[in-house]
Amino acid sequence: MDFLNALVALSNFVIVPAVAYGSQLALGALGVTLIYGILRFSNFAHGDTMAFGTMGVILATWWLQGLGVSLGPLPTALLALPAGIAICAALVLATDRVVYRFYRAQRVKPVILVIVSMGVMFVYNGLTRFVIGPGDQSFGDGSRFVISALDFRAMTGLQEGLAIRTSQAITLVTAIVVVAILFWFLNRTRTGKSMRAYSDNEDLALLSGINPERVVLVTWLIVAALATVAGTLYGLDKSFKPFTYFQLLLPIFASAIVGGLGSPVGAIAGGFIIAFSEVTITYAWKKVLGHLLPESLEPDGLVQLLAVDYKFAVSFVILVVVLLIRPTGLFRGKAV
Amino acid sequence: MIEVHDLHKHFGGFHAVDGASLRIAPGSITGLIGPNGAGKSTLFNVIAGVLPPTSGRVTMAGEDITGLPPHALFHKGLLRTFQIAHEFHSMTVLENLMMVPGGQAGESLWTTWVARGRIRREEAEIAARAHEVLEFLTIDHLADEKAANLSGGQKKLLELGRTMMVDAKIVFLDEVGAGVNRTLLNTIADAIQRLNAERGYTFVVIEHDMDFIGRICDPVICMAEGKVLAEGTLDEIKADERVIEAYLGTGLKNKAKTEAEA
């Protein structure tokens, strides 16, 4: 029995990675949920919007690095974020102008917009690969760890080490700041309230003199910012590869739906639920159990419920279960 | 105020509005009655820009407003309420009212961050106005209640309140009385008459409650099968043969006649 070591191992392999991953999913799901609440369709292009925004950040980062600019221990990508957001916003606004607005004017059914967004997804997908290529890109610089496992062991004298990567710390801090600004904006400012009004009741919002095109414009700007930030944080934490972002679509949608589509609080809760489920189910518990159980009961196997290769199955199963049992999600979003 | 010329609205083969023409006099409270399916609500929806007309023209004070979107009509002073009361359910009653005057300074992304003081002053003014409106409607005590928690009648009052947040010229009320208890209905009728007298609102009211119509409306327009049948005071309308026929059908009309003669 060694409770402290078990706790440290658990933090190192489950809690810290899941919190970082959960923040990334939450930011992604917020974008999806805003589009669903206001534009009323499931945006399948969201994963590739994230990839495109991140690509903008990477290009800007390389340019800054070429100029010799650096943030010291922090990644230069943080400095490049505004540029990436601007590039991403330009892309989604242009898409809205030439694609979505046409369908909006015709008041088409949401399912048609979903199919349209899939078309947009393929275009973004190709665009990103055309510019930056399909391969892995690494763009994180600055110091790698806030605390490394070695330092932690030296500091505490424990057998297990706890490593917190800079990217994980940045992810959490950035996510908290972004979410705080977003909620302040939605609940306190007139523009944010117009967005909520439009989401609550579109007809009434129109008859109250709210200009729908302005609401849509602001929504796309916020979504572009959220997507770029989420994508960049994920890229810093793992690595950037266009295909991975396309795959992220599933856990992101699962997060938004588990929380309740259209509910921003739900999107955040959903992000953490999915992240913790995915990490705990694919984690090999042998080490933690080894510390907790008496020697005679120590497991021989890895005690891993599911191989990491199948991690997307976790989101998928949660998604199906939620849709069967409570289609409006935890926070009573709109029915799917 | 509003003139409708030979308006048609077809849904596939169904002619919901079939060549309706009418004039709404400025400063009037016009009642719009007719049996179910007469095309009253569709007519409202076409005038209010919710549905595009199949053909025909709508003018407001001589200006062609056919097919303008609802938010554009709002800025011209044409407002409407819904048959089933609508509200922003996630917001309080006060916030619901404060949404209304479109084009506030706070709506621009830029001023949201830069001109905080200006926005605060403007919102204070709007809040004061919203409180006045709530007092007028006798629901001031509900200001901080979530709109979703209001009763059906209170929601109708809230809808009426929304039209009072701006200086509306003409307000279309779609069955304000439906599902509302007597006391609240009186409050609504009072509010309509006071708004008409004090602020010069023109009202067009769809309603099935003839007492309500008789009490506040003059003239009354009767529609049936997408056309305008008759126009006049409620008593004239009630005496009109075509109107009785539309409501009761020919057989019943004859029966009612013979009973009345006997």
Side-chain angles (χ1 to χ4, degrees), chain A residues 181 184-185 187 189-191 193-194 196-197 200-201 203-212 214 218 221, chain B residues 70-71 74-75 80 82 86-91 95 98-102 104 106-107 109 112-113 116 162:
Chain A
I181 295 175
W184 172 80
F185 183 79
N187 291 315
T189 69
R190 166 74 196 191
T191 318
K193 283 184 185 172
S194 304
R196 281 169 56 212
D200 274 2
N201 192 325
D203 290 335
L204 189 58
L206 295 179
L207 292 169
S208 304
I210 293 171
N211 183 351
R214 175 171 259 170
V218 173
L221 284 176
Chain B
H71 68 273
F74 172 90
H75 290 293
R80 71 163 300 186
F82 292 91
H86 283 208
E87 77 286 335
F88 300 126
H89 52 79
S90 72
M91 299 186 189
E95 283 179 316
M98 289 181 62
M99 280 318 298
V100 173
Q104 294 173 28
E107 266 170 63
L109 261 190
T112 299
W113 307 97
R116 304 281 305 145
R162 193 171 292 118

Side-chain angles (χ1 to χ4, degrees), chain A residues 287-300:
Chain A
K287 206 171 209 172
V288 175
L289 290 176
H291 286 302
L292 284 177
L293 298 171
E295 226 163 287
S296 56
L297 285 176
E298 245 177 59
D300 294 327

Side-chain angles (χ1 to χ4, degrees), chain B residues 59-99:
Chain B
T59 62
M60 179 172 170
E63 184 189 352
D64 194 338
I65 57 163
T66 322
L68 284 185
H71 68 273
L73 292 172
F74 172 90
H75 290 293
K76 293 188 183 296
L78 186 153
L79 278 68
R80 71 163 300 186
T81 68
F82 292 91
Q83 193 169 344
I84 298 159
H86 283 208
E87 77 286 335
F88 300 126
H89 52 79
S90 72
M91 299 186 189
T92 67
V93 169
L94 189 67
E95 283 179 316
N96 259 270
L97 286 182
M98 289 181 62
M99 280 318 298

